[in-house]
Amino acid sequence: AQKVTQAQTEISVVEKEDVTLDCVYETRDTTYYLFWYKQPPSGELVFLIRRNSFDEQNEISGRYSWNFQKSTSSFNFTITASQVVDSAVYFCALSEAGGYSTLTFGKGTMLLVSP
Amino acid sequence: KAGVTQTPRYLIKTRGQQVTLSCSPISGHRSVSWYQQTPGQGLQFLFEYFSETQRNKGNFPGRFSGRQFSNSRSEMNVSTLELGDSALYLCASSLGAGHSYEQYFGPGTRLTVT
């Protein structure tokens, strides 16, 4: 069965610090997608990135970057020069092949960025 | 393009009552999924609908049910409410069915059972 583990429950940083959110996943499928979502206090899940299992290229989008390593089943997310607006709960999720859209989420990491 | 809308946004019900939550997907999206979010269990998958057919169901009791209409709008119903059903219920829509499609989430309905 699939599983996503986000070991960091809460992280506190000061503005402009870099921060990495860890995500480790388990799946028996060879074809799957990994996602990161951001949940601000308003509650809506905001899509950040999707990566398929055959694409191990790291990705950078502005201050955000993602490191996908199949060898360690990890899909870590780094925010460079964090800002107060980055404060939110971040979820890593996994979607396996099989024709369904079902997302299996980690428990989330609450990031608090102080000014 | 309007995003996913969920109504109502907040709801307070009493134990034993039933409740119906509504989700309108992004225009053109045909797949709708529902998730329950609680502090203890996190985000858990409830069900997925595509073209009015339930394609997948999570591990929830039969008190939780849903349906999808021909215009892709979806409703979920919880009968005989229990205190533990208090949660944020999130709906997500995607263009098609399958794990390769991005899912866009609505703002959720916060249900409080007293």
Side-chain angles (χ1 to χ4, degrees):
Chain A
Q2 65 272 27
K3 185 179 178 182
V4 176
T5 302
Q6 295 179 254
Q8 305 149 307
T9 305
E10 190 173 320
I11 300 176
S12 291
V13 298
V14 177
E15 213 171 13
K16 297 183 183 172
E17 281 186 33
D18 297 347
V19 58
T20 296
L21 309 182
D22 298 332
C23 173
V24 174
Y25 63 92
E26 294 175 29
T27 177
R28 291 179 183 166
D29 277 0
T30 55
T31 305
Y32 52 90
Y33 278 85
L34 294 164
F35 302 78
W36 275 95
Y37 283 88
K38 173 182 180 180
Q39 187 176 45
S42 60
E44 186 169 345
L45 283 171
V46 178
F47 168 83
L48 294 177
I49 190 172
R50 177 185 65 184
R51 171 69 73 223
N52 77 53
S53 53
F54 299 108
D55 181 4
E56 286 193 73
Q57 262 194 324
N58 290 332
E59 179 156 340
I60 298 175
S61 176
R63 296 185 296 107
Y64 296 169
S65 63
W66 291 268
N67 181 268
F68 176 29
Q69 292 195 332
K70 284 177 78 170
S71 60
T72 55
S73 297
S74 65
F75 186 43
N76 297 337
F77 172 32
T78 297
I79 302 175
T80 303
S82 59
Q83 299 177 1
V84 173
V85 293
D86 295 327
S87 296
V89 181
Y90 291 85
F91 291 94
C92 180
L94 166 71
S95 180
E96 293 179 322
Y100 302 134
S101 306
T102 307
L103 291 168
T104 298
F105 286 90
K107 293 290 189 185
T109 297
M110 180 179 289
L111 173 65
L112 179 60
V113 183
S114 309
Chain B
K1 209 179 226 185
V4 178
T5 57
Q6 292 187 244
T7 55
R9 292 292 311 279
Y10 302 91
L11 205 49
I12 300 175
K13 288 286 188 179
T14 304
R15 241 180 331 176
Q17 288 185 316
Q18 76 164 19
V19 67
T20 299
L21 312 182
S22 179
C23 171
S24 293
I26 292 171
S27 177
H29 284 198
R30 296 171 62 194
S31 178
V32 172
S33 297
W34 288 88
Y35 292 82
Q36 180 197 63
Q37 185 177 21
T38 59
Q41 300 299 315
L43 278 154
Q44 293 186 292
F45 169 74
L46 279 158
F47 9 72
E48 176 194 347
Y49 289 89
F50 179 75
S51 291
E52 301 179 66
T53 301
Q54 186 180 89
R55 289 171 45 85
N56 197 13
K57 188 178 191 307
N59 190 25
F60 279 82
R63 300 185 296 107
F64 291 81
S65 63
R67 59 178 174 168
Q68 186 180 33
F69 302 95
S70 58
N71 62 358
S72 296
R73 191 177 70 84
S74 177
E75 288 181 348
M76 68 162 279
N77 183 277
V78 187
S79 62
T80 318
L81 284 166
E82 300 177 0
L83 294 178
D85 297 332
S86 294
L88 180 66
Y89 290 88
L90 292 162
C91 164
S93 78
S94 57
L95 203 54
H99 73 304
S100 61
Y101 289 94
E102 288 176 23
Q103 292 190 54
Y104 297 87
F105 283 81
T109 293
R110 186 164 294 283
L111 171 65
T112 302
V113 182
T114 61

